[in-house]
Amino acid sequence: MHRIRTALPRPVRAVAVLSVSACLLAGCGGSPRSEDDSAKKPPAGAAAQPRIVLNATDGQKGVSVRSGGRIEVEHGSIAKASLVTADGATVPGKASRDNRTWSPDAALDHGTTYRLTAVATGGKGAKATERVTFTTLDEDDRFVGTYVPEHGSKVGVGMPVSFTFDKAITDKKAVESGISVSSSSGQKVVGHWFGAQRLDFRPQEYWEAGSTVTVRIRLDGVKGAEDAYGEQDKTVRFTVGRSQVSTVDAARHRMRVVRDGRTIRDIPITAGAASSPTWNGRMVISEKLVSTRMDGATVGFAGEYDIPDVPHAMRLSTSGTFIHGNYWGDDSVFGRSNISHGCVGLNDVQGGGDASQDGAWFYANSLLGDVVVVRNSQDATIAPDNGLNGWNMPWKEWVAGSAR
């Protein structure tokens, strides 16, 4: 969400920062304007009346802490800007270089009442004044979306953009419309809701290797549910690395690692035993751990194993599927039999200190977002929302899950 300025700056569109009801009842600025008003010009030779645009109306509650104290002036400049709390404490702020906007130095406090005064002057002594008292959004009345991947990261071609919201969203269209995802590759990107708190974005096919993905989050003031308003307003960018897709054939006990269309390694593996088979399907590496404890009690196998130092573990599902190093299995099982409780095991040593081992090599050569495909296992295909595994959903069904 960006704005292009003409010779005279346009007012901030307050509909993005106020509740819908407040906008409808009170207007979205200290000096509201209609489309007809914006088209009017002063008579030739007359000075334009300065116009003050605010992001709060007098008496309004639930105002954004990010933009509620902002002032913008058309056809003039700011002569005075004052923002104080109800008890008279001054909120520091500064004007822009052209003196047409003024903003607090930091976000306002939640659930706090403020008095805002703005005076603007224009040509030939023209003057305008606005005074409003407003109360910012209470901290309990906001929703926040955590997301992956992180800004500035480099990921594999399978990494979706995944948001998890801390409150159930009822107006999915409003929230989804507040997030845009685009790729330098030009691939079409579509969102899909998994329930009321998770929204993932992906293209029809894997991201193009070497592309840059931009995520624009414009949720400030968006009403996601009753007493749940967004505050986030940021842009996130990440890059897609080389293409690496590794295919596990559970029946052959092998994994073929293909990078940029060329096989670079064929690794002997052990997959899930007949009593605890590995999921089939396309799975995305969502977490990398040099060493981690794996306790069967956490995934329904209480008493069957508890290994405190599993080396080179990479998560493939929320339910506990990993591809990881295995030092406790005999060398003879790799490439010959399936003995695990559902994970894909690669030969390794305790402590993971031997870089020549398959487990260490695969860990060092994998990115978050790389794809691991499992075939010929005796289990079903993994659910699309079990991990970052929406690639297992047909595109038509994926698109149908968008709220736009």
Side-chain angles (χ1 to χ4, degrees):
M1 296 182 178
H2 286 287
R3 211 170 28 167
I4 301 175
R5 291 190 179 274
T6 58
L8 293 175
R10 298 174 63 85
V12 175
R13 290 288 187 184
V15 69
V17 294
L18 305 179
S19 72
V20 174
S21 59
C23 288
L24 293 175
L25 295 175
C28 291
S31 180
R33 101 180 160 183
S34 67
E35 291 302 318
D36 290 340
D37 290 337
S38 66
K40 291 179 181 178
K41 296 181 179 179
Q49 178 69 22
R51 174 187 167 91
I52 299 170
V53 179
L54 307 178
N55 290 318
T57 55
D58 194 38
Q60 185 180 340
K61 299 182 184 300
V63 173
S64 167
V65 297
R66 293 176 53 86
S67 57
R70 180 180 169 85
I71 301 167
E72 186 166 356
V73 172
E74 281 189 333
H75 311 305
S77 60
I78 296 172
K80 177 183 178 182
S82 171
L83 182 63
V84 297
T85 61
D87 58 6
T90 299
V91 178
K94 57 180 175 291
S96 60
R97 200 172 276 185
D98 62 6
N99 215 35
R100 290 183 174 178
T101 63
W102 184 93
S103 300
D105 289 343
L108 305 180
D109 293 331
H110 289 95
T112 303
T113 298
Y114 293 90
R115 294 196 303 271
L116 177 61
T117 301
V119 179
T121 55
K124 298 185 177 181
K127 184 177 180 181
T129 302
E130 293 286 352
R131 295 184 179 88
V132 296
T133 298
F134 63 88
T135 303
T136 52
L137 181 70
D138 191 86
E139 195 160 7
D140 292 337
D141 290 339
R142 62 177 180 161
F143 73 86
V144 176
T146 56
Y147 55 85
V148 292
E150 296 179 355
H151 177 69
S153 59
K154 178 182 284 189
V155 301
V157 295
M159 176 63 80
V161 176
S162 182
F163 283 82
T164 300
F165 300 103
D166 61 353
K167 290 184 178 180
I169 302 300
T170 56
D171 194 340
K172 293 179 179 179
K173 183 176 181 179
V175 172
E176 187 176 341
S177 297
I179 302 170
S180 67
V181 183
S182 60
S183 172
S184 62
S185 66
Q187 291 171 279
K188 179 182 179 181
V189 185
V190 177
H192 181 96
W193 287 89
F194 293 108
Q197 291 183 251
R198 176 173 166 185
L199 171 62
D200 285 12
F201 294 84
R202 70 168 178 90
Q204 184 171 3
E205 305 297 337
Y206 299 140
W207 299 109
E208 184 177 301
S211 59
T212 299
V213 179
T214 301
V215 184
R216 292 182 173 88
I217 307 169
R218 302 294 184 263
L219 294 175
D220 189 19
V222 172
K223 185 177 182 180
E226 192 66 30
D227 296 327
Y229 293 82
E231 287 187 337
Q232 292 164 291
D233 188 345
K234 61 176 62 178
T235 298
V236 175
R237 289 187 176 86
F238 62 91
T239 57
V240 180
R242 75 293 176 274
S243 170
Q244 182 166 299
V245 179
S246 303
T247 301
V248 172
D249 188 327
R252 292 184 59 247
H253 320 294
R254 309 287 300 188
M255 179 173 71
R256 184 164 57 96
V257 183
V258 177
R259 181 178 294 175
D260 295 327
R262 184 174 65 88
T263 299
I264 60 172
R265 191 119 166 178
D266 192 341
I267 301 174
I269 60 94
T270 181
S275 60
S276 53
T278 306
W279 294 110
N280 284 295
R282 296 189 281 178
M283 290 173 264
V284 172
I285 296 175
S286 59
E287 184 179 20
K288 292 181 67 177
L289 303 166
V290 174
S291 178
T292 190
R293 177 185 177 185
M294 290 190 179
D295 184 355
T298 64
V299 288
F301 294 107
E304 296 192 30
Y305 64 88
D306 186 359
I307 305 169
D309 56 351
V310 177
H312 300 126
M314 289 161 280
R315 181 180 291 277
L316 300 178
S317 78
T318 306
S319 61
T321 308
F322 283 78
I323 182 167
H324 60 75
N326 179 323
Y327 66 81
W328 53 93
D330 191 270
D331 288 349
S332 63
V333 304
F334 299 98
R336 294 182 177 86
S337 59
N338 293 329
I339 65 167
S340 84
H341 288 81
C343 293
V344 177
L346 312 177
N347 207 352
D348 214 328
V349 296
Q350 188 168 15
D354 185 351
S356 68
Q357 296 292 312
D358 289 334
W361 180 90
F362 189 67
Y363 185 92
N365 284 275
S366 294
L367 294 172
L368 295 180
D370 280 349
V371 181
V372 177
V373 183
V374 177
R375 296 176 178 166
N376 300 322
S377 178
Q378 298 177 40
D379 209 340
T381 298
I382 192 167
D385 61 346
N386 186 359
L388 301 177
N389 299 323
W391 302 104
N392 296 288
M393 180 179 290
W395 182 244
K396 184 176 181 180
E397 186 178 345
W398 182 272
V399 173
S402 169
R404 288 187 181 176

